[in-house]
């Protein structure tokens, strides 16, 4: 358990530092330089590359929609660690169009159902990191993490050896979840929908 130290006088300093950073970013962001930076971000963005690709097994994509996709995390915190991303390079919820928001949440629900059917987790951590300072690995592309958790999945390895033990390969996880999603998306399945997974 950590202690809490209330330091309300720091908010004035934090606000000033944030305004200074925003002003310098706005100055740098004028004209073609900001457009070039945005284009470069999209060229190096994992989610943009995967959205353009059709190699679902290679890219660990489980389901696609016109505006969003569901995929495995290649560097998982736990087995069946999933990510749901919009296909367009957009950083925040306020940047999304209505169909993008709807499909993002639709795929979160599909991910929940697939995890329930195939892995039966005791809980799920949901996470969004918006902006580099918040921990986003790809800060320009909105995506949500779903990390399944089980009562018995903690052991001494992360504490003693600083090592996570993943009991299943990514290929096996992809196959299990892809099959589960195909079954869930058949007409008449619980919450089913004709999928666009390839």
């Amino acid at each position: 358990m950590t202690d809490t130290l209330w330091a309300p006088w720091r908010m004035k300093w934090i606000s000033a530092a944030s305004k200074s950073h925003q002003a310098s970013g706005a100055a740098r962001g004028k004209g073609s330089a900001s457009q070039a930076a945005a284009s470069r971000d999209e060229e190096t963005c994992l989610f943009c590359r995967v959205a353009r690709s059709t190699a679902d097994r290679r890219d660990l994509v489980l389901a696609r929609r016109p505006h969003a996709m569901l995929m495995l995390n290649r560097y998982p915190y736990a087995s069946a660690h999933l990510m749901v991303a919009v296909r367009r390079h957009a950083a925040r919820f306020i940047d999304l169009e209505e169909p993008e928001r709807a499909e993002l949440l639709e795929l979160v629900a599909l991910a929940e159902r697939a995890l329930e059917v195939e892995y039966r987790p005791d809980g799920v951590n949901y996470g969004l990191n918006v902006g580099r300072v918040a921990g986003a690995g790809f800060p320009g592309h909105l995506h949500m993490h779903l990390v399944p958790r089980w009562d018995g999945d903690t052991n001494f390895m992360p504490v003693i050896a600083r090592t996570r033990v993943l009991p299943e390969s990514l290929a096996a996880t992809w196959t299990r979840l892809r099959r589960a999603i195909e079954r869930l998306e058949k007409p008449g399945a619980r919450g089913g929908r004709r999928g666009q997974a390839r």
Side-chain angles (χ1 to χ4, degrees):
M1 181 76 157
T2 58
D3 292 328
T4 300
L5 175 63
W6 291 96
W9 55 89
R10 288 185 47 79
M11 187 50 72
K12 185 176 181 181
W13 180 84
I14 291 168
S15 297
S18 179
K19 286 177 187 170
S20 171
H21 179 74
Q22 288 171 358
S24 66
R28 283 193 313 268
K30 290 183 179 170
S32 62
S34 68
Q35 291 170 344
S39 176
R40 198 169 39 254
D41 285 348
E42 290 180 42
E43 288 172 13
T44 60
C45 175
L46 162 74
F47 299 104
C48 289
R49 181 186 62 74
V50 171
R52 290 188 301 266
S53 172
T54 58
D56 285 356
R57 182 179 289 277
R58 181 197 70 199
D59 293 326
L60 304 174
V61 175
L62 296 163
R64 292 180 186 266
R65 300 288 184 267
H67 302 288
M69 58 193 172
L70 167 62
M71 61 192 288
L72 281 171
N73 189 329
R74 190 171 298 279
Y75 305 101
Y77 288 111
S79 291
H81 176 167
L82 302 176
M83 297 185 296
V84 180
V86 292
R87 293 178 72 147
R88 183 171 62 89
H89 195 76
R92 302 169 302 163
F93 275 103
I94 60 174
D95 299 329
L96 301 183
E97 302 293 330
E98 177 56 36
E100 292 170 320
R101 284 192 298 271
E103 288 183 4
L104 185 79
L105 291 178
E106 176 194 329
L107 286 177
V108 168
L110 178 62
E112 289 176 331
R113 290 193 306 274
L115 287 172
E116 172 96 10
V117 165
E118 200 58 39
Y119 287 93
R120 302 192 187 287
D122 297 310
V124 177
N125 292 120
Y126 300 83
L128 288 153
N129 300 319
V130 178
R132 191 165 304 282
V133 72
F138 294 92
H141 204 124
L142 186 69
H143 60 284
M144 179 184 286
H145 294 262
L146 290 87
V147 182
R149 300 293 189 177
W150 296 268
D151 285 333
D153 73 350
T154 56
N155 60 51
F156 71 95
M157 288 295 286
V159 176
I160 303 298
R162 294 186 177 156
T163 302
R164 280 189 294 273
V165 178
L166 300 170
E168 184 174 64
S169 72
L170 285 172
T173 303
W174 184 87
T175 299
R176 286 178 68 180
L177 286 170
R178 183 71 172 239
R179 284 186 193 143
I181 286 168
E182 287 170 357
R183 286 190 307 268
L184 287 166
E185 295 203 307
K186 285 184 181 172
R190 181 176 151 236
R193 171 201 155 130
R194 257 319 209 201
Q196 295 171 13
R198 293 177 218 169

